[in-house]
Amino acid sequence: MKAHLNGTVSSDMLTGLFAEKKWISSKFLYDEQGSQLFEQITDLPEYYQTRTEAQILLENLSAWKSVFRKPAALIELGSGSSKKTKILLDHVPNIESYIPIDISEEFLADTVTQLQASYPGIHIQGLSTDYTQPFTLPDFKGKKKIVFFPGSTIGNFEPREAELFLENIRSLLNPGDQLIFGVDRKKDEAVLKAAYDDAAGVTAAFNKNLLTRINREHEAAIDVDSFSHVALYNPTAGRIEMHLESSREQVLTLGGHTIEVKKQERIHTENSYKYDPEDIIRLGRASGFLLRRVVSDEREYFSVCLMEV
Ligand code: AVI
């Protein structure tokens, strides 16, 4: 989930900073530097998600082959560099067209050019939009559509938002169309915490970059070093939370607004919900999909789910 800032402080950022419990939407984590730091996170030894999902995709090729039994269109939400999709493009026949959707227009254009050269037999058409907002798909002339949403990004939605989001995706599909998406599973707290507070400090840099971005884009002068990264597991909500904690009392000035921050006060910057099988079933039911299959790794750290309209 990404967003652009453009000089004026967005209203949801202000709402969050003036709230009793301060928060900033996680979509603001992904400026250019934040996106690069996130790419580095995906390679960290502690961040098992990315490689586990890739392994699940590779180990269950027969499942994806049966999804694409007939020629179909593959639509990816938040495609980035389309790294995981290459597993499908390389191994699964009948992908007639591929529609990567990403908010970053320039990045998307480069990815499409590179992919088109590698997969000349597949029609590739990028769609630059914020997929969390309503959007329309090209006309596939009755061909089956498969939506691919890897990376456990669904976990960055609040549970009700996740249901509404999937409901919205379902409204773009026809009976028989399918959705493949990744979810991070509930597991040992120490494993989860390490994944969001790595020894090399990359996740801390990713979180703190939010303040650097605000300084740059809003001519603010927040002392970034006076905040530290906090990652904790909230077992009641079933989510990892990221916060920025102020080491001192201070006043933040941005876009003509002043925000008082107490010593040890936290700004909540991200939720990453973890799912167990019951949560997955509930999500499918609430969003009106039929849950067809859930495949997981041996440790049950991560699952890839297949749902159908
Ligand atoms: C993008 N999203 C699935 C990541 C996650 O695990 O929730 C974002 C992230 N935040 C810290 N590390 C990774």
Side-chain angles (χ1 to χ4, degrees), residues 21-23 48-49 152 154-161 184-189 192-193 196 230-243 266-276 279:
K21 287 190 172 177
K22 294 185 173 47
W23 59 274
Y48 53 85
Q49 279 99 313
S152 72
I154 195 77
N156 297 127
F157 290 83
E158 292 303 304
R160 182 64 193 137
E161 275 175 25
D184 195 19
R185 296 281 296 269
K186 285 179 180 150
K187 59 182 69 65
D188 181 46
E189 191 171 328
L192 281 171
K193 275 187 75 176
Y196 292 84
V230 176
L232 57 91
Y233 185 64
N234 176 335
T236 317
R239 68 188 189 207
I240 279 280
E241 298 177 4
M242 289 206 315
H243 299 258
R266 290 176 180 175
I267 304 175
H268 191 163
T269 53
E270 187 184 60
N271 284 328
S272 191
Y273 282 87
K274 308 302 166 194
Y275 283 71
D276 57 25
D279 300 323

Side-chain angles (χ1 to χ4, degrees), residues 1 38 42 47 49-50 53-54 57 64 74-88 98-102 131 146-157 165-166 179-184 302-305:
M1 283 195 276
F38 177 64
T42 63
Y47 197 78
Q49 279 99 313
T50 312
E53 185 177 40
L57 287 170
W64 323 128
L74 174 66
I75 298 140
E76 181 174 5
L77 308 176
S79 49
S81 58
S82 301
K83 225 154 94 189
K84 285 172 207 150
T85 321
K86 287 180 192 154
I87 297 175
L88 299 180
Y98 170 50
I99 317 294
I101 303 181
D102 204 279
Y131 66 82
I146 318 293
V147 175
F148 186 44
F149 190 36
S152 72
T153 305
I154 195 77
N156 297 127
F157 290 83
F165 172 70
L166 291 192
L179 166 71
I180 300 169
F181 69 101
V183 281
D184 195 19
F302 200 94
S303 293
V304 178
C305 313

Side-chain angles (χ1 to χ4, degrees), residues 211-260:
L211 301 176
T212 310
R213 177 182 190 180
I214 293 174
N215 278 346
R216 188 182 59 246
E217 297 185 14
H218 298 309
E219 288 165 15
I222 303 170
D223 173 10
V224 177
D225 290 333
S226 68
F227 284 88
S228 55
H229 167 68
V230 176
L232 57 91
Y233 185 64
N234 176 335
T236 317
R239 68 188 189 207
I240 279 280
E241 298 177 4
M242 289 206 315
H243 299 258
L244 289 162
E245 184 175 297
S246 177
S247 60
R248 58 178 168 82
E249 190 179 313
Q250 55 183 312
V251 176
L252 314 180
T253 313
L254 66 146
H257 304 274
T258 50
I259 295 132
E260 288 172 21

Side-chain angles (χ1 to χ4, degrees), residues 130-141:
D130 176 358
Y131 66 82
T132 64
Q133 301 301 316
F135 63 94
T136 48
L137 285 171
D139 182 7
F140 295 103
K141 313 240 180 313

